[in-house]
Structures are given as structure tokens and as C-alpha cells.
Amino acid sequence: MNKLIPELYKKNRAKLVKFLKPNSVAIICSATHSLRTRSLYNEYRQSSNMIYLTGVMQEETVLILYPSHSKKEFREVLFIRYTDNKTLTWEGHKHTKHEAESISGISNVKWSSDLSVFLQQVIESASNVYLEMGDEWPSNDMSISASYRFSEEIKAKYPSKQFEKIVPLINQLRLIKENTEIEIIKEAIQVTGKTFSEILPLVNPGIYEYDVEAEITMRFIKAEKCPHAYLPIIASGINSTILHYNFNNAELINGDLLLLDFGAEKLGYASDLSRTIPVSGKFTKRQAEVYNSVLSILKEAKKLMVIGNTIDKLNESVGLMMEEELVKLKLLNKSEIKKQDKENPLYKKYYMHGTSHFIGLDVHDCGNREVPFAKGMVLSCEPGIYIKEEGFGIRLENDILIDKTPIDLMEHIPIELNEIEELMKQ
Ligand SMILES: [Mn+2]
């Protein structure tokens, strides 16, 4: 796919400005470039909203939308960082105005040194000022959000203005993916799936979880430097019962399972895959039983990912399937289930997370559990069973596109028990 997709970002902006009240200006900021330790930075990740609206991945970028302004040059302006000699020496090339225009499709690009004068002009003439007021962050993380700090500054400087939240409007739009976005997600899935198939024969007793992580990361880097969409979970043995295990430093032991939860990111869009495989290349009888329970739930659950359903209702349905499977596996019995507290069902001992989340520019994308599924949404389907007393957990996860009937975007990635064992023999 052509890396320059200004048409997508133009369309996204056009959708957003339709939501704005008359005579409004909207201001969207890029993510903070956070320090790792003194004077040295973490790898930069653009804010998802900035990617959604411009595709510009560079720090210190500000987008201003003022669609009803009488002068065209005020309606859509992108401010980018100016590359002075010091920046060139230490960091190298930054976007030229022309490059930023080619990426975003915004013809009016200015240097960020001109921002404050411009801001004053537009804020004074607008009736409403739309800002990112930190709604995109859980409250404890607000301090790290540049857009939150920026919105606080603007509110303090212009106390008489009417301020509105822009994030809920963008979130609403981000739920439904355009075809171009679905194509990008498929590219991310392609990298993830190919990587999974290639590492299967490399898994053996005696290597370490980080050896597997290294094999995954190497393949992502070779795929045009795809970042991980989130910290990969490479969890063997009892570690596989820890839902967000990230240490990835234990030795793989013969007879144990290895739970892998990882995904490549392409142009900001995530993929999210989970598979659980036997370290030895062969499942024990008990592991195979539990594996097939999880797999059958995945297959049934994804059929329920249809237009109009919700994550809440899906969780309820999967809860019932889970009870049935846990009885078959002799982990629960029917009479206990009959007597259980409905608010705190017994299956939660073995399945303590939800079945699904939205996927997009954030791996846990915007959208809550009550949003009715609609064509163009992408969600995970990820049942699991975690049995601490038996020393293993199994999670299987595919990414599903909502359409007339659900489309499993990870259908082609090996998941059947025999298939996994066969590929591990090579
Ligand atoms: Mn997931």
C-alpha cells in the first residue's frame, strides 16, 4: 500500500468538522515526547487522534480546524516543528512543509513558532473552542498528556470562552473503520501472523521467553520497523496465568505451555493476536482438553459478533459457554453454579477478563461495552481459561471485523491443535 494516504485523513477531518457547533475552532495536539532518563527520550509514539486526523507522526505538531472561518487560510492549518541547525545536528531531518502537506493533505502548513499569534486570532474570533481536555487518558495519566496540559493553559488564558470537548467526537468516528483503515489493520495482521507461523518451529525446551520475544521483535523490525502495538506477553508455565505478564525472562520447560499475546502496529494501527502452544511441540491430554474448550468458545463467540450486539451482551453469552466448558473440564459442577451469586459468577475464577475490546489506533481502542456493533468496527475475540492449580493458562485471540456476518481477519493464522503440533515438528 502507498504509505501516503492523505485521502483517508482528509475524509476523517471532513467527518469531524460536521460535528462542530457553528463558529467553532478545534485544536488537536501531538503526544508528548517523553524522557526515558535524563536528556534521553523514549521512542516517539504519536497520539492516536493526531494520526487519525493528519497521519503526521512527528512531535510538536498542532492541528487547528476552523471550518466556518470566512478566510480559507484559517480553516485548516497544521503547525509543525521548524528544523534549525541544532535540530539537524542532533536529530537530523524533520518534515518540510511540503512533506507534511503530502502526508496529511493539509495545504496550509506553518512553523510552530507562529502558533501562539495564530491561536490568539482564532480563539478570539471563535464562539466555541474545542480542546482535548484529558478525556483520552485515565485520570491518573493526565499529567503525561501534552494535550491536557495545553488545554489547561488555553482555558486559563481565555477564561471567558466557551470550551467544548473534542475527544468524544473523534472517538465516535474512530469506532467505524474506513476501508483504507481496514486494509492497514490487515497489513499489521499479516506481519503478526507470518511471525507467529515462523516462530512455531523455533520453540523448544531450554530456550527462554526472551529468546521467543527476540525472534518476534526481529521479524517486526525486518518488516519495515513495525513497532509492537503493546508490550508482548511471552508467558510460559505458571506465568501464562498472569494476564498481562511482561517479564518474559523464564526458561521454557518441557511439558509446559507457552502463551503468546503480541501484535504488530502498521501506520499507527494495531493487530492483537493470542496463541498458546506446547513447549515440547505436543499438548498433554489435559492441556489439549482445555485448549479445545477455549477454541470452541472462540468459534462460538465470534459468531455472536454481529451488528447490534454489544461487548456486554457478548460477555454474558460467553459466560454461559464458559460455565458449560468448565463443568466438562471438571473445574466447576452444575449444583455449585445453580447456587452461585449472579453478580460474581464462579467461572470468573478461571476466566477473569472480558471477551472483547475494540481495536484500531489504540490496541484497546475507544468504545465502551454498551456500544452496539456496527459494520466497519474491529474487535478482538479472546476467551481464555487460567488454571493456577494446574500451572497453566490458555488464551486464544483473533481480530474480528463486523460486517453483515462477522469476518475473522485472523482466520488464516494457525490455531487448530493438530495444525500447531504439525508446524512445531518442522
Ligand atoms: Mn486483546
PDB file of all heavy atoms in Angstrom, residues 261 272 357 364 380 382 397, ligand 1:
ATOM      1  N   ASP A 261       0.978 -13.375  23.413  1.00  0.00           N
ATOM      2  CA  ASP A 261      -0.024 -12.345  23.108  1.00  0.00           C
ATOM      3  C   ASP A 261       0.771 -11.151  22.584  1.00  0.00           C
ATOM      4  O   ASP A 261       1.462 -10.472  23.334  1.00  0.00           O
ATOM      5  CB  ASP A 261      -0.807 -11.996  24.381  1.00  0.00           C
ATOM      6  CG  ASP A 261      -1.949 -11.001  24.128  1.00  0.00           C
ATOM      7  OD1 ASP A 261      -1.949 -10.331  23.080  1.00  0.00           O
ATOM      8  OD2 ASP A 261      -2.833 -10.893  25.009  1.00  0.00           O
ATOM      9  N   ASP A 272      -3.758  -7.652  17.193  1.00  0.00           N
ATOM     10  CA  ASP A 272      -3.729  -8.205  18.547  1.00  0.00           C
ATOM     11  C   ASP A 272      -4.036  -9.695  18.476  1.00  0.00           C
ATOM     12  O   ASP A 272      -5.180 -10.085  18.249  1.00  0.00           O
ATOM     13  CB  ASP A 272      -4.782  -7.459  19.389  1.00  0.00           C
ATOM     14  CG  ASP A 272      -4.730  -7.822  20.863  1.00  0.00           C
ATOM     15  OD1 ASP A 272      -3.874  -8.632  21.252  1.00  0.00           O
ATOM     16  OD2 ASP A 272      -5.565  -7.294  21.624  1.00  0.00           O
ATOM     17  N   HIS A 357     -12.507  -6.337  23.033  1.00  0.00           N
ATOM     18  CA  HIS A 357     -12.307  -4.882  23.096  1.00  0.00           C
ATOM     19  C   HIS A 357     -12.198  -4.381  21.667  1.00  0.00           C
ATOM     20  O   HIS A 357     -11.860  -5.143  20.757  1.00  0.00           O
ATOM     21  CB  HIS A 357     -11.068  -4.531  23.921  1.00  0.00           C
ATOM     22  CG  HIS A 357      -9.798  -5.184  23.440  1.00  0.00           C
ATOM     23  ND1 HIS A 357      -9.064  -4.719  22.368  1.00  0.00           N
ATOM     24  CD2 HIS A 357      -9.132  -6.288  23.870  1.00  0.00           C
ATOM     25  CE1 HIS A 357      -8.005  -5.490  22.186  1.00  0.00           C
ATOM     26  NE2 HIS A 357      -8.030  -6.465  23.076  1.00  0.00           N
ATOM     27  N   HIS A 364      -6.326  -1.191  22.666  1.00  0.00           N
ATOM     28  CA  HIS A 364      -7.606  -1.167  23.376  1.00  0.00           C
ATOM     29  C   HIS A 364      -8.256   0.150  22.958  1.00  0.00           C
ATOM     30  O   HIS A 364      -8.076   1.180  23.588  1.00  0.00           O
ATOM     31  CB  HIS A 364      -7.416  -1.225  24.892  1.00  0.00           C
ATOM     32  CG  HIS A 364      -6.926  -2.572  25.357  1.00  0.00           C
ATOM     33  ND1 HIS A 364      -6.600  -2.837  26.653  1.00  0.00           N
ATOM     34  CD2 HIS A 364      -6.724  -3.732  24.689  1.00  0.00           C
ATOM     35  CE1 HIS A 364      -6.203  -4.103  26.767  1.00  0.00           C
ATOM     36  NE2 HIS A 364      -6.265  -4.658  25.581  1.00  0.00           N
ATOM     37  N   SER A 380     -11.513  -7.520  19.195  1.00  0.00           N
ATOM     38  CA  SER A 380     -10.865  -8.793  19.489  1.00  0.00           C
ATOM     39  C   SER A 380     -11.916  -9.779  19.955  1.00  0.00           C
ATOM     40  O   SER A 380     -12.992  -9.390  20.426  1.00  0.00           O
ATOM     41  CB  SER A 380      -9.827  -8.610  20.598  1.00  0.00           C
ATOM     42  OG  SER A 380     -10.476  -8.367  21.832  1.00  0.00           O
ATOM     43  N   GLU A 382     -11.390 -12.981  22.486  1.00  0.00           N
ATOM     44  CA  GLU A 382     -10.270 -13.602  23.203  1.00  0.00           C
ATOM     45  C   GLU A 382     -10.659 -14.325  24.489  1.00  0.00           C
ATOM     46  O   GLU A 382     -10.329 -13.874  25.579  1.00  0.00           O
ATOM     47  CB  GLU A 382      -9.175 -12.570  23.495  1.00  0.00           C
ATOM     48  CG  GLU A 382      -9.629 -11.265  24.117  1.00  0.00           C
ATOM     49  CD  GLU A 382      -8.437 -10.342  24.413  1.00  0.00           C
ATOM     50  OE1 GLU A 382      -7.404 -10.827  24.906  1.00  0.00           O
ATOM     51  OE2 GLU A 382      -8.552  -9.139  24.151  1.00  0.00           O
ATOM     52  N   GLU A 397      -6.889 -15.673  20.679  1.00  0.00           N
ATOM     53  CA  GLU A 397      -7.454 -14.370  20.323  1.00  0.00           C
ATOM     54  C   GLU A 397      -7.294 -14.074  18.840  1.00  0.00           C
ATOM     55  O   GLU A 397      -6.183 -14.136  18.302  1.00  0.00           O
ATOM     56  CB  GLU A 397      -6.727 -13.269  21.118  1.00  0.00           C
ATOM     57  CG  GLU A 397      -7.103 -11.865  20.709  1.00  0.00           C
ATOM     58  CD  GLU A 397      -6.380 -10.802  21.535  1.00  0.00           C
ATOM     59  OE1 GLU A 397      -5.233 -11.035  21.938  1.00  0.00           O
ATOM     60  OE2 GLU A 397      -6.981  -9.741  21.771  1.00  0.00           O
TER      61      GLU A 397
HETATM   62 MN    MN B   1      -6.556  -8.227  23.143  1.00  0.00          MN
END
